[in-house]
Amino acid sequence: MASTAAGKQRIPKVAKVKNKAPAEVQITAEQLLREAKERELELLPPPPKQKITDEEELNDYKLKKRKGFEDNIRKNRTVISNWIKYAQWEESLKEVQRARSIYERALDVDHRNIALWLKYAEMEMKNRQVNHARNIWDRAITILPRVNQFWYKYSYMEEMLGNIAGCRQVFERWTEWEPEEQAWHSYINFELRYKEVDKARSIYERFVIVHPDVKNWIKYARFEEKHGYIAHGRKVFERSVEFFGEEHVDENLFVAFARFEEKQKEFERVRVIYKYALDRIPKQQAQELFKFYTVFEKKFGDRRGIEDVIVSKRRFQYEEEVKASPHNYDAWFDYLRLVESDADPDTAREVYERAIANIPPIQEKRHWRRYIYLWINYALYEELEVKDPERTRQVYLACLDLIPHKKFTFAKMWLLYGQFEIRQKNLQAARQGLVRFLLLMIYVFHCDTSNLKFSVIWPSPSPQGTAIGKCPKNKLFKGYIELELQLREFDRCRKLYEKYLEFASENCTTWIKFSELETILGDTERARAIFELAIGQPRLDMPEVLWKSYIDFEIEQEEYDNTRGLYKRLLQRTQHVKVWISYAQYELSIDTSDRLQRCRGIFEEANKGLRSCEEKEERLMLLESWKEFEQEFGSDTTRERVKKLLPEKVKKRRKLTAEDGSDAGWEEYYDYIFPEDAANQPNLKLLAMAKMWKRQQQEEEDDEEDDEEDEEENNGEVDRGKVEEVRGKEMEGEENGRGERGIDKEMTEDLASPSSEKPIVSEPVPEKVPKESTYDDRDDSDESSSGSSSSSSSSSDNDGGEKQPRKSNKDSVKD
């Protein structure tokens, strides 16, 4: 319903479609269009042709036609196509003045329409109205100077008319607007058509300034080359390289320049151009440059030239790497290795200076380790390759000034510096150092100045002396001692060793080396005194090495009594099994009549001394060594005696406890039971008797089963009474078995109770190893008591049986 001024108006209801099912035959829109085309319903018959016979009919036709055009223009003035059709119709009637009027009216409507200007000018040119056309082109390029089509048409018209000056004037007006590149090329080609090369060159000069692209400079140079002006072409390339500079270089420019010089047979110029370009263009932008350079060297160069190409390419790669990460010292090493092998010393020096300028940002030694090798390589390069000792010395001193000695130092640098001065045969300089750092570093490292009196150790402070004062290190002492040894300055070596030991008295290697020095010099008493001082130190890093060296020293001096005394003093400090074995082997090695008795006595003494040792493997090692000795030098009696001392290997279980105190299960391990220890433990004897008793029972049961089988084979049938008897015996055997297991369990628990360790398997260690028998050692005391009771009951039952009763536990123990 809708309300109106007249009142409410009722809207008729739309009829509802009752059947919404699709029709059986569906008609598509394509089918309707196809049928309309076939029937040609929309085609109208063409109008009848009218033949004009006189002027009056012609005027009527013109009037009717003009009226129609005017009506269309009045309906929509902005439709330029109506104006153009109207003007073209008037032009077809040779009514140029009317057509001109129509175009002017249309330009008043839309003066920015490009097609309208083009049609207007073309009409004037068709009708040879040159001045009118020139006037129209002038108006067009004045109103729309950025429409290139107007300029092209105008210049073309003037050239076709032979007005060269007018055409040049049009181009000059056009270039003032700085048009696109093609406009400049058209102007240049126009001048070249009339052999005006100088004017074309001037146009190129303006062109490359307005459009400063690489390709335009290359076209300019090729223009000069094409017309034979080689010097001008080279100058254009040089100007272009200078114009773009190093920030906007392009590989295409250098490739074109190189190919230009290659055509002129200037191969050295080509090589210089390529190298200049490769030094300034990034690697990723110089792929074509490398390619053309390689082709050039293959064509006109030698082997050295080809190698230079490859080196240049690698230099580009390294430059990019070090620019991306200046503290990547591995990249610097590779770069320097390449430069050293190919470039001149000045270039290598420059790269070294760039590399060492990247000081690690953090004063931690791990960050300086790779960096310090740059200085070492720099110094070695100056010394070995360039042969410049003074510059090498400057490199070493600069590096030593740079290292933060208050936190860490590098002994290698100090040693290399001293060795360098020695190689220069400047011993005095090798013993001079940087004294100005000495007192500072003494206080930094809390050293006692009395330990660093250089006037006592050497006449003047050396590089190593300064290093020891700055940061005393083992390596510095060793290096300086080695240096003085090479110089055969043994007194200095002695004093150095004294100061070294004052600095690090726990260093056993230093004591040994000091003693070796005195031994070499033939002063055995000093060497022995040094060893005595060494073993008397309260703290040593490797005392076993020191004692061994002392003992070897006495053996070399053939002081056998002193050696025995050393062994005895050492055994007072430690009862290590290797010391005992070494002592016994030493006695065996001495060619005396009682050497076997002495060696055997040491073994016996060692065995007694190791009884209280917790490490049973060491005692076992001693017995095995004793056994080998007896097998080689002993008799049957002594061999049997040692054999009886060998332990029995027993597998045990122990309970594990986790860190939080919870139960972590059980662990199996092997233990050794020595006969001498077993004699003091009656429980072990009881366990052995129980095992023997169980083995006897098992043998008797096997014999009974064999007798029964023989009986069955002989008789063929088994009596019922005998079957019952056999069953009773089997039951009796089961009871005995339970009793045996109970006895074994009791014995196992008794043995394990003192130390909470439960033996499971026992086996002798030497020669033959019997099978391991496992015992179930559980902590259930009820089962143990029940097992014991069953064992005693089974024994009482056996007493009343038909056969002779087996031995009880007490009887077996008595036996």
Side-chain angles (χ1 to χ4, degrees):
M1 301 294 292
S3 61
T4 60
K8 294 182 178 180
Q9 184 179 2
R10 186 180 298 277
I11 296 176
K13 295 182 178 179
V14 181
K16 295 182 179 180
V17 180
K18 295 182 179 181
N19 186 9
K20 296 182 179 180
E24 296 180 358
V25 180
Q26 297 290 324
I27 300 175
T28 61
E30 291 82 358
Q31 186 175 356
L32 292 175
L33 293 174
R34 193 183 308 112
E35 291 178 356
K37 181 66 177 175
E38 290 174 356
R39 298 176 185 178
E40 296 181 352
L41 298 176
E42 296 181 0
L43 296 179
L44 298 176
K49 293 183 179 181
Q50 184 179 2
K51 188 175 181 182
I52 299 174
T53 56
D54 55 4
E55 186 176 356
E56 184 178 358
E57 290 181 356
L58 179 60
N59 292 333
D60 290 339
Y61 169 72
K62 290 180 180 180
L63 181 61
K64 183 178 178 182
K65 198 72 172 173
R66 287 190 181 106
K67 186 177 182 300
F69 281 121
E70 292 291 343
D71 291 340
N72 289 335
I73 290 171
R74 271 195 304 274
K75 288 178 184 177
N76 195 346
R77 296 178 71 251
T78 58
V79 179
I80 302 301
S81 61
N82 293 334
W83 294 96
I84 293 174
K85 289 177 182 179
Y86 190 9
Q88 287 177 346
W89 182 76
E90 293 289 354
E91 182 187 0
S92 66
L93 297 177
K94 305 299 181 181
E95 296 285 347
V96 178
Q97 190 63 34
R98 284 180 175 273
R100 191 178 292 125
S101 175
I102 293 167
Y103 276 120
E104 291 294 338
R105 290 167 59 195
L107 288 174
D108 291 338
V109 175
D110 187 6
H111 66 280
R112 292 184 177 277
N113 193 293
I114 298 173
L116 189 60
W117 288 100
L118 292 175
K119 296 292 183 182
Y120 191 8
E122 287 175 359
M123 182 199 74
E124 297 292 357
M125 288 190 295
K126 283 180 183 179
N127 292 282
R128 301 180 181 277
Q129 301 294 324
V130 176
N131 291 329
H132 281 283
R134 190 176 285 125
N135 185 21
I136 292 168
W137 289 125
D138 285 335
R139 291 164 59 194
I141 61 178
T142 303
I143 296 173
L144 301 172
R146 294 298 179 186
V147 179
N148 296 328
Q149 202 168 0
F150 295 162
W151 297 97
Y152 285 123
K153 294 277 187 181
Y154 191 10
S155 61
Y156 181 71
M157 183 190 76
E158 295 292 355
E159 188 177 1
M160 290 296 102
L161 293 173
N163 187 9
I164 306 303
C167 182
R168 185 176 290 112
Q169 186 179 5
V170 171
F171 276 117
E172 286 294 332
R173 290 174 61 187
W174 192 7
T175 54
E176 290 177 358
W177 290 94
E178 296 183 358
E180 61 182 11
E181 297 176 3
Q182 187 58 42
W184 295 89
H185 291 311
S186 299
Y187 189 12
I188 292 168
N189 293 332
F190 163 75
E191 296 292 355
L192 291 177
R193 283 197 293 269
Y194 297 98
K195 311 299 182 182
E196 298 289 345
V197 179
D198 294 334
K199 290 184 179 180
R201 184 180 293 113
S202 64
I203 297 168
Y204 260 120
E205 289 288 341
R206 293 154 55 194
F207 173 43
V208 294
I209 300 301
V210 175
H211 295 281
D213 295 335
V214 172
K215 60 181 181 179
N216 296 331
W217 283 96
I218 295 174
K219 287 179 181 178
Y220 184 15
R222 287 176 179 171
F223 157 77
E224 298 288 359
E225 181 186 4
K226 181 179 179 182
H227 291 85
Y229 299 99
I230 305 302
H232 284 279
R234 184 176 292 113
K235 188 176 181 180
V236 169
F237 275 118
E238 293 174 355
R239 285 174 54 202
S240 64
V241 173
E242 183 180 358
F243 176 81
F244 288 104
E246 295 184 2
E247 297 180 357
H248 304 284
V249 291
D250 188 274
E251 64 172 347
N252 296 323
L253 177 62
F254 290 102
V255 169
F257 193 6
R259 297 181 74 176
F260 166 78
E261 296 291 355
E262 184 179 343
K263 290 179 182 177
Q264 310 308 320
K265 310 298 182 182
E266 296 286 347
F267 301 127
E268 289 301 323
R269 285 178 174 269
V270 176
R271 191 170 287 108
V272 170
I273 290 168
Y274 277 125
K275 290 183 178 180
Y276 176 86
L278 291 173
D279 290 339
R280 287 159 178 81
I281 299 179
K283 169 185 169 290
Q284 61 271 14
Q285 301 176 9
Q287 300 298 327
E288 290 295 323
L289 193 64
F290 278 117
K291 176 179 155 185
F292 283 105
Y293 188 19
T294 307
V295 172
F296 166 75
E297 289 293 348
K298 288 180 179 178
K299 288 168 63 177
F300 305 104
D302 52 1
R303 180 178 179 182
R304 178 65 179 173
I306 298 174
E307 291 178 354
D308 289 342
V309 177
I310 300 172
V311 169
S312 300
K313 187 173 182 180
R314 290 174 61 191
R315 285 189 65 183
F316 265 98
Q317 295 175 354
Y318 292 137
E319 281 289 345
E320 293 299 320
E321 288 184 18
V322 298
K323 285 180 182 177
S325 179
H327 292 92
N328 184 8
Y329 300 120
D330 291 330
W332 282 110
F333 285 130
D334 296 336
Y335 190 13
L336 289 166
R337 196 179 300 114
L338 175 67
V339 171
E340 287 178 8
S341 63
D342 182 71
D344 56 329
D346 293 334
T347 305
R349 217 173 259 134
E350 179 188 357
V351 179
Y352 266 116
E353 293 294 336
R354 288 172 54 197
I356 62 178
N358 300 297
I359 303 173
I362 303 174
Q363 289 189 354
E364 294 183 9
K365 191 167 184 178
R366 60 190 181 92
H367 295 288
W368 282 67
R369 282 196 177 96
R370 296 295 291 164
Y371 171 71
I372 211 68
Y373 275 99
L374 289 174
W375 286 94
I376 295 174
N377 291 351
Y378 190 10
L380 294 177
Y381 174 74
E382 292 289 350
E383 181 185 359
L384 302 177
E385 300 294 335
V386 187
K387 310 292 185 182
D388 191 347
E390 186 58 34
R391 192 173 181 88
T392 306
R393 185 177 293 106
Q394 293 175 5
V395 171
Y396 276 120
L397 294 177
C399 178
L400 294 174
D401 286 341
L402 182 65
I403 297 172
H405 300 287
K406 293 182 180 181
K407 295 188 177 181
F408 56 84
T409 189
F410 289 94
K412 185 182 288 293
M413 287 302 300
W414 297 99
L415 297 176
L416 289 175
Y417 179 34
Q419 293 167 4
F420 160 73
E421 295 293 355
I422 294 297
R423 286 194 296 272
Q424 300 303 318
K425 299 180 180 180
N426 194 353
L427 184 59
Q428 186 66 21
R431 287 175 175 163
Q432 290 176 354
L434 305 174
V435 182
R436 62 183 182 273
F437 294 115
L438 179 57
L439 295 177
L440 172 63
M441 301 316 298
I442 288 173
Y443 288 110
V444 168
F445 289 95
H446 307 287
C447 296
D448 186 5
T449 55
S450 62
N451 294 339
L452 295 167
K453 292 179 181 178
F454 296 104
S455 60
V456 177
I457 302 177
W458 44 79
S460 60
S462 69
Q464 288 78 11
T466 304
I468 292 170
K470 283 189 171 185
C471 187
K473 292 180 64 176
N474 294 331
K475 193 172 183 181
L476 285 172
F477 278 109
K478 292 176 183 177
Y480 191 48
I481 290 169
E482 183 67 25
L483 181 63
E484 295 294 349
L485 280 175
Q486 292 176 1
L487 298 173
R488 298 299 186 265
E489 295 288 347
F490 301 116
D491 290 335
R492 294 180 184 273
C493 292
R494 284 194 181 102
K495 293 174 183 179
L496 279 171
Y497 269 122
E498 291 174 5
K499 299 306 174 184
Y500 190 6
L501 293 173
E502 289 176 5
F503 165 67
S505 59
E506 72 278 358
N507 194 337
C508 292
T509 306
T510 308
W511 291 101
I512 295 169
K513 293 291 184 182
F514 192 8
S515 178
E516 287 179 357
L517 173 65
E518 298 295 347
T519 305
I520 293 171
L521 297 176
D523 197 343
T524 56
E525 292 301 326
R526 286 179 63 92
R528 187 174 289 110
I530 291 168
F531 274 122
E532 288 294 335
L533 286 174
I535 62 177
Q537 295 298 317
R539 186 178 63 179
L540 295 170
D541 54 358
M542 294 184 296
E544 65 279 0
V545 178
L546 180 63
W547 280 94
K548 183 178 184 303
S549 300
Y550 193 6
I551 291 170
D552 292 341
F553 165 76
E554 295 291 355
I555 293 174
E556 288 177 2
Q557 303 301 323
E558 297 183 357
E559 296 288 344
Y560 302 128
D561 294 334
N562 291 345
T563 307
R564 291 191 185 96
L566 281 177
Y567 270 117
K568 291 177 182 179
R569 290 165 62 187
L570 179 58
L571 289 172
Q572 289 176 1
R573 297 192 178 191
T574 178
Q575 291 286 323
H576 199 277
V577 64
K578 290 186 178 180
V579 179
W580 287 106
I581 294 174
S582 176
Y583 189 13
Q585 291 175 352
Y586 162 71
E587 292 291 353
L588 185 63
S589 63
I590 299 174
D591 190 9
T592 57
S593 58
D594 58 343
R595 63 190 184 102
L596 298 180
Q597 288 78 6
R598 285 180 176 273
C599 182
R600 189 174 290 111
I602 291 171
F603 276 122
E604 291 178 356
E605 186 179 354
N607 187 32
K608 292 177 182 178
L610 292 177
R611 285 182 182 178
S612 59
C613 181
E614 296 181 357
E615 297 294 333
K616 297 183 179 181
E617 288 81 2
E618 294 185 1
R619 190 175 174 189
L620 176 62
M621 188 188 305
L622 176 70
L623 292 174
E624 288 178 348
S625 179
W626 191 2
K627 178 185 174 184
E628 293 176 0
F629 164 73
E630 295 295 349
Q631 285 179 351
E632 185 175 357
F633 301 102
S635 60
D636 295 338
T637 306
T638 56
R639 293 193 194 100
E640 188 64 27
R641 181 187 173 191
V642 175
K643 187 175 180 181
K644 290 180 180 180
L645 295 175
L646 290 172
E648 186 177 4
K649 189 176 181 182
V650 179
K651 185 191 288 185
K652 291 185 179 182
R653 288 195 309 172
R654 56 188 168 197
K655 200 170 186 179
L656 297 178
T657 305
E659 295 180 357
D660 56 354
S662 61
D663 188 7
W666 292 81
E667 178 190 22
E668 291 186 354
Y669 71 99
Y670 286 96
D671 192 10
Y672 297 96
I673 300 175
F674 292 86
E676 296 177 353
D677 299 338
N680 301 325
Q681 297 181 10
N683 290 332
L684 295 177
K685 287 187 177 182
L686 186 63
L687 178 61
M689 293 298 180
K691 288 167 62 178
M692 185 184 300
W693 175 64
K694 182 177 180 180
R695 189 162 50 250
Q696 290 177 358
Q697 280 188 335
Q698 187 68 30
E699 291 175 358
E700 290 179 1
E701 288 179 0
D702 294 339
D703 294 339
E704 289 177 3
E705 290 177 1
D706 293 339
D707 294 339
E708 289 174 0
E709 288 176 0
D710 294 339
E711 242 179 80
E712 289 177 0
E713 289 176 1
N714 295 330
N715 300 332
E717 293 181 357
V718 182
D719 194 23
R720 185 171 183 179
K722 291 184 179 179
V723 171
E724 292 178 356
E725 183 179 353
V726 171
R727 287 179 181 175
K729 290 179 180 180
E730 289 177 356
M731 293 174 65
E732 182 180 353
E734 290 177 359
E735 292 177 356
N736 292 336
R738 284 196 297 271
E740 294 165 7
R741 285 194 297 270
I743 291 171
D744 291 342
K745 188 174 185 308
E746 285 180 355
M747 293 180 179
T748 306
E749 290 178 352
D750 291 340
L751 291 175
S753 58
S755 61
S756 70
E757 296 177 350
K758 304 179 179 182
I760 299 177
V761 176
S762 64
E763 59 180 1
V765 173
E767 295 180 356
K768 298 181 180 179
V769 180
K771 296 181 179 179
E772 297 178 354
S773 58
T774 305
Y775 299 97
D776 187 9
D777 53 340
R778 301 171 185 169
D779 293 336
D780 192 354
S781 58
D782 296 336
E783 290 184 7
S784 176
S785 58
S786 62
S788 302
S789 60
S790 61
S791 175
S792 58
S793 61
S794 61
S795 301
S796 60
D797 293 339
N798 290 334
D799 292 339
E802 294 178 0
K803 294 185 178 181
Q804 186 176 358
R806 297 185 181 90
K807 295 180 181 180
S808 63
N809 294 341
K810 295 180 180 180
D811 297 335
S812 61
V813 171
K814 290 178 182 179
D815 293 338

